[in-house]
Amino acid sequence: MGNRILVVDDAAFMRMMIKDILTKNGFEVVAEAADGAQAVEKYKELKPDLVTMDITMPEMDGITALKEIKGIDPSAKIIMCSAMGQQAMVIDAIQAGAKDFIVKPFKADRVIEAIQKTLA
């Protein structure tokens, strides 16, 4: 069985892109969430092996969701997804416990590399 991944992004198109990259590389996308609040609920429910988390989202942003998930499960593996120019937020995310980050627009090999490294 492939590793179970939760994909979090407020843009359905971005979720679809990541999901496509992951499934083509043998990973199982167990769920998707459109904001941080949904991400926290799905994490509690499914306990995925890894989460890809967008930083900027409505309702609850990715950094807040990251902190909440880390509060529930300190060993959670979360990779942040950010647009260019969000360096300060990426630093906040890494300090809050994110394992890595990938920059949009996604490059398939970089996404897989980050995930394999985080799961290793």
Side-chain angles (χ1 to χ4, degrees):
M1 190 182 98
N3 291 98
R4 300 168 64 251
I5 300 176
L6 167 61
V7 174
V8 186
D9 199 303
D10 57 330
F13 174 72
M14 285 298 177
R15 292 197 306 271
M16 193 183 75
M17 276 179 63
I18 292 190
K19 197 170 159 183
D20 192 47
I21 292 168
L22 296 175
T23 49
K24 281 182 178 157
N25 285 277
F27 295 100
E28 180 192 353
V29 175
V30 288
E32 297 177 32
D35 64 50
Q38 279 182 17
V40 174
E41 287 312 306
K42 297 253 192 238
Y43 190 89
K44 283 188 220 171
E45 185 190 325
L46 301 164
K47 295 275 186 278
D49 300 313
L50 185 125
V51 181
T52 64
M53 179 86 69
D54 186 21
I55 290 183
T56 347
M57 295 181 288
E59 298 303 316
M60 181 191 289
D61 67 56
I63 294 175
T64 308
L66 162 75
K67 289 175 181 165
E68 288 211 14
I69 290 171
K70 285 298 220 177
I72 300 162
D73 178 5
S75 66
K77 293 182 165 79
I78 302 172
I79 296 176
M80 303 308 283
C81 306
S82 74
M84 289 303 253
Q86 291 181 322
Q87 276 81 359
M89 291 168 112
V90 167
I91 291 164
D92 287 349
I94 300 288
Q95 286 170 340
K99 299 288 183 203
D100 202 344
F101 68 94
I102 38 187
V103 176
K104 297 175 186 176
F106 302 118
K107 292 183 175 58
D109 52 354
R110 173 67 188 115
V111 172
I112 297 307
E113 175 201 327
I115 286 171
Q116 287 172 338
K117 192 173 81 184
T118 302
L119 289 170

